């Protein structure tokens, strides 16, 4: 009776249950009954509305088998589920999926590694199925948490641990693929999910193997390790995750990386951090690169009080990210990058200055020294990042960055810079000046402008040259090197390296082009300013050999890039003035510096004479150099700049054949068509406000423009002297434009050029013999000119302070560009 009842009950059961029961053999070792499985599949495809019931019944059987630890039947149930999933692609699969996910969750919750791996494999197969319509109610929170936990498996058996970790990584990869392809994919990018997924992947990418003394030495690589490496698999999953990130969820994927690196202290050393961000930068879409850079900058701000090596590690990561992003889209973060880096540069210098001030003897002093070295690592990393970033920017952006950095350089006596240096002190300020100029040097490296006006606009040239007058040889060197980067448009600087007497300049194969109109205009406007800074730079007492080499290179580059006939004459005048200053020595320079100036002049005149190729000029220069080689080798760079060179006791008793003579140079150049009238006028540097800002003594005393102030008894017809002295009447004639010859026009242009920028006080100071007060000058002028005017129109109105003198009879005279008429 019992078999009959069982048969009757079996016949009364629903068909789908009978089909499901038939796929399970009596002995689970026999595996899935394939014939019955084909029947079940055909039934499910023919009646898709029964899929949810099939799934529910399979889930019920699987749950019972899991509880009873009947692993064989569990394997058969999951195999049947996989085949049904692959065969059924209709909309009715949705309820079946719920049952399937419930069964996968049961397997993942079990403590048996085989069942966890089995559930993961089934989920991965499910993730590869493209569903026709999205599911609006399905969530994968449990799977994200469970797969992430599997990625951190600490099983005692290394092989099983590796297997579980691989399963966890593959599960995360399946979740990502499934959710990204879904219209509700934004849910996976929520912070609570990314905070689990990203650290799990990074943990496996580190290739960390926990060493337990109880397990003995690490075992040899297993077949599973050879087939699939957790680190490689995690890296591929990480790349895939980032590659699917969009504008709105990019930051959620990147921020957990910082948390992981901070928690595991991976900024020092930072090899793994650099590796991670290289993966990030290469995996994301190029237009989102600036998001990553902003996140790095923000994290650098957040860790600004950490140890120097941690900050240096973050900056190194920024450098690698910028190196990759510079090839694509930087976005609006250019100034933000430089502003943040310069801010941290100032902080690093401030920390360094505080450590130097607070250092003491003993161990505290050693710690302070170690911190200083670490801060220098930070500073060098910042400068390297600034330079690399700037050198990869387009020209128009690089020009803006050059102006931006230059605006940060503090100059003594001014407040034009925008960097807070109130806490730095003099030593810290000098340090920040050097750091900023080094940054500027790296940004300008490789910059090629078509015209010099583009590379050195007035708004950039003036603040750049200000540090060149400071009493710090390193600052002056950096300024000159920056100028060389901007001037050298044909890569000639390497050929000019080192100050020396070049036997044949043609062997250097110097590249040059015809001077364009814009460059000519630049030299007319700024040439005197450049000459002035070179002249004063040669007379600094703390100059070393490198300073003279850079000054020589400056003169050579100006000759190559910007020199027409007029500029060549000015440069020769400048060289002769330097020679005269070394001989007269009004600044009381040491003998080494005087001989260094003489050597610089010899090297440059040898260069320029061969560049312009005037035979008589070359002959004169060669003859002087030959005599110096025989009688005064300390006047040549090859001798004075080598160790233990014998120096003379004085220069006044030397034979004039050892010097370059103006009259012979003028004679040689005049025979070749050069206008040499200006060679007879000694070069005198202009006086500007920079002299008061450079912490040097005023050079007003070195400027000697002779003015003949006439006594009352001398008639007006005798005003003009036959000498080259500049008088009031000479000024009148210099600006008279009627009936002048070419020579008179040239003199007028020189006079106007000399006085057009100077204020009235300094013009009056030059006309008087070193008077200091404006009222004294005006009084002397009035005393000299009180006499009946030659014409009714000869009146002068003078305003000084609160006193005003109107209709004062004077000689009829005009002053170009003066403030008093």
């Amino acid at each position: 009776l019992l078999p009959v009842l069982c048969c009757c009950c079996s016949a009364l059961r629903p068909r789908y249950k009978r089909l499901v029961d038939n796929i399970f053999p009596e002995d689970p070792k026999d595996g899935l009954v394939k014939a019955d499985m084909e029947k079940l599949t055909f039934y499910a495809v023919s009646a898709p509305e029964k899929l949810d019931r099939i799934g529910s019944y399979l889930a019920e059987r699987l749950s019972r088998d899991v509880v009873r630890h009947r692993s064989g039947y569990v394997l058969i149930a999951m195999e049947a589920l996989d085949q049904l999933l692959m065969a059924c692609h209709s909309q009715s699969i949705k309820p079946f999926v719920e049952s399937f996910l419930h069964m996968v969750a049961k397997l993942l919750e079990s403590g048996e590694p085989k069942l966890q791996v089995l559930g993961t494999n089934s989920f991965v197969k499910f993730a590869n199925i493209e569903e026709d319509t999205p599911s609006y109610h399905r969530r994968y929170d449990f799977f994200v948490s469970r797969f992430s936990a599997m990625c951190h498996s600490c099983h005692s058996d290394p092989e099983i641990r590796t297997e579980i970790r691989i399963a966890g990584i593959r599960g995360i990869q399946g979740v990502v693929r499934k959710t990204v392809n879904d219209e509700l994919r934004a849910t996976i990018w929520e912070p609570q999910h990314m905070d689990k997924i990203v650290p799990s992947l990074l943990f496996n990418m580190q290739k960390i193997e926990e060493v337990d003394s109880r397990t003995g030495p690490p075992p040899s690589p297993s077949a599973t390790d050879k087939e699939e490496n957790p680190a490689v698999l995690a890296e591929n999953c990480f790349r895939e995750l980032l590659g699917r990130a969009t504008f709105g969820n990019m930051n959620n994927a990147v921020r957990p990386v910082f948390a992981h690196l901070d928690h595991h202290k991976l900024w020092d050393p930072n090899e793994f951090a650099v590796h991670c961000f290289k993966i990030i930068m290469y995996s994301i879409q190029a237009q989102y690169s600036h998001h990553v850079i902003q996140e790095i900058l923000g994290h650098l701000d957040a860790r600004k009080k950490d140890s120097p090596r941690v900050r240096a590690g973050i900056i190194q990561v920024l450098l690698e990210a910028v190196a990759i992003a510079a090839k694509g889209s930087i976005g609006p973060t250019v100034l933000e990058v430089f502003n943040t880096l310069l801010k941290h540069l100032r902080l690093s210098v401030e920390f360094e200055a505080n450590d130097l001030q607070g250092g003491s003897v003993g161990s505290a002093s050693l710690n302070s020294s170690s911190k200083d070295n670490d801060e220098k690592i930070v500073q060098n990393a910042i400068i390297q990042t600034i330079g690399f970033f700037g050198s990869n920017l387009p020209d128009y952006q690089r020009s803006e960055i050059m102006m931006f950095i230059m605006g940060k350089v503090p100059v003594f006596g001014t407040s034009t810079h925008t960097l807070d240096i109130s806490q730095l002190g003099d030593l810290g300020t000098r340090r920040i000046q050097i750091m900023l100029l080094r940054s500027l040097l790296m940004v300008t490296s490789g910059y090629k402008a078509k015209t010099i006006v583009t590379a050195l606009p007035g708004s950039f040239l003036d603040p750049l040259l200000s540090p060149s007058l400071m009493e710090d040889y390193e600052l002056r060197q950096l300024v000159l090197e920056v100028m060389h980067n901007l001037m050298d448009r044909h890569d000639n600087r390497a050929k000019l390296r080192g100050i020396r007497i070049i036997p044949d300049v043609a062997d250097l194969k110097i590249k040059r082009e015809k001077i364009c109109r814009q460059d000519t205009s630049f030299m007319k406007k700024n040439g005197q300013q450049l000459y002035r800074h070179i002249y004063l730079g040669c007379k600094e007492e703390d100059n070393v050999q490198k300073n003279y080499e850079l000054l020589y290179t400056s003169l050579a580059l100006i000759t190559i890039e910007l020199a027409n006939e007029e500029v060549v004459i000015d440069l020769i005048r400048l060289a002769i003035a330097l020679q005269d200053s070394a001989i007269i020595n009004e600044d009381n320079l040491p003998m080494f510096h005087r001989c260094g100036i003489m050597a610089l002049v010899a090297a440059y005149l040898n260069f320029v004479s061969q560049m312009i190729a005037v035979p008589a000029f070359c002959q004169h220069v060669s003859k002087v150099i030959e005599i110096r080689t025989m009688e005064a080798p300390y006047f040549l760079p090859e001798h004075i700049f080598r160790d233990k060179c014998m120096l003379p006791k004085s220069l006044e008793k030397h034979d004039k054949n050892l010097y370059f003579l103006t009259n012979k140079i003028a004679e040689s150049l005049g025979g070749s068509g050069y206008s040499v009238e200006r060679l007879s006028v000694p070069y005198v540097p202009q006086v500007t406000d920079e002299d008061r800002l450079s912490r040097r003594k005023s050079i007003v005393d070195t400027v000697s423009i002779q003015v003949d102030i006439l006594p009352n008894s001398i008639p007006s017809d005798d005003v003009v002297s036959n000498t080259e002295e500049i008088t009031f009447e000479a000024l009148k004639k210099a600006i008279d434009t009627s009936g002048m010859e070419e020579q008179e026009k040239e003199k007028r242009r020189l006079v106007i050029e000399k006085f057009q920028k100077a204020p009235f006080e300094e013009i009056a100071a030059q006309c008087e013999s070193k008077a200091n007060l404006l009222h004294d000058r005006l009084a002397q002028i009035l005393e000299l000119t009180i006499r009946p005017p030659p014409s009714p129109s000869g009146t002068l109105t003078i305003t000084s302070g609160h006193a005003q003198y109107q209709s004062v009879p004077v000689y009829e005279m005009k002053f170009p560009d003066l403030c008093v008429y």
Side-chain angles (χ1 to χ4, degrees), residues 546-708:
K546 185 176 179 180
N547 289 87
Y548 292 113
E549 291 178 353
L550 293 174
L551 289 165
Y552 162 75
T553 305
S554 299
L555 291 169
L557 286 177
I558 293 175
T559 305
I560 296 170
E561 299 286 348
L562 303 169
N564 52 18
E565 291 187 4
E566 182 179 344
V567 173
V568 168
I569 295 298
D570 287 337
L571 290 171
I572 294 175
R573 288 177 60 217
L574 174 61
I576 298 301
L578 287 171
Q579 176 182 259
D580 295 342
S581 69
I583 297 174
I584 300 173
N585 196 24
E586 294 179 348
D587 298 299
N588 296 321
L589 294 174
M591 184 57 66
F592 170 78
H593 294 76
R594 297 172 68 185
C595 293
I597 294 175
M598 299 291 285
L600 184 151
V601 172
Y604 174 67
L605 289 180
N606 172 73
F607 176 81
V608 72
S609 64
Q610 296 186 54
M611 286 296 294
I612 63 177
V614 176
F617 186 23
C618 294
Q619 183 178 0
H620 172 64
V621 172
S622 300
K623 183 177 180 180
V624 172
I625 292 175
E626 183 179 354
I627 297 176
R628 288 185 177 186
T629 304
M630 301 287 295
E631 301 180 9
Y634 39 78
F635 284 168
L636 299 176
E638 290 83 356
H639 297 271
I640 187 60
F641 293 127
R642 72 180 185 184
D643 296 336
K644 298 180 181 180
C645 177
M646 297 296 295
L647 299 176
K649 296 182 179 180
S650 65
L651 304 183
E652 288 73 13
K653 298 181 180 180
H654 282 74
D655 187 1
K656 67 177 183 178
N657 292 327
L658 294 173
Y659 304 133
F660 301 99
L661 304 179
T662 305
N663 58 346
K664 292 188 176 181
I665 295 176
E667 181 182 351
S668 62
L669 294 178
S672 298
Y674 281 80
S675 179
V676 296
E677 290 80 5
R678 285 180 297 126
L679 282 177
S680 60
V681 181
Y683 169 78
V684 178
Q686 295 178 347
V687 181
T688 67
D689 292 338
E690 290 178 345
D691 301 300
R692 293 190 293 271
L693 305 179
S694 59
R695 291 190 172 182
R696 64 164 68 241
K697 66 177 183 179
S698 176
I699 64 167
V700 174
D701 294 337
T702 66
V703 180
S704 58
I705 300 179
Q706 299 179 357
V707 180
D708 191 8

Side-chain angles (χ1 to χ4, degrees), residues 261 267 270 273-274 277 296 312-322:
L261 297 175
W267 295 112
N270 68 338
V274 171
F277 278 91
I296 300 175
I314 299 174
I315 294 169
Q316 182 66 27
V317 167
L318 178 64
L319 171 61
E320 298 294 338
V322 162

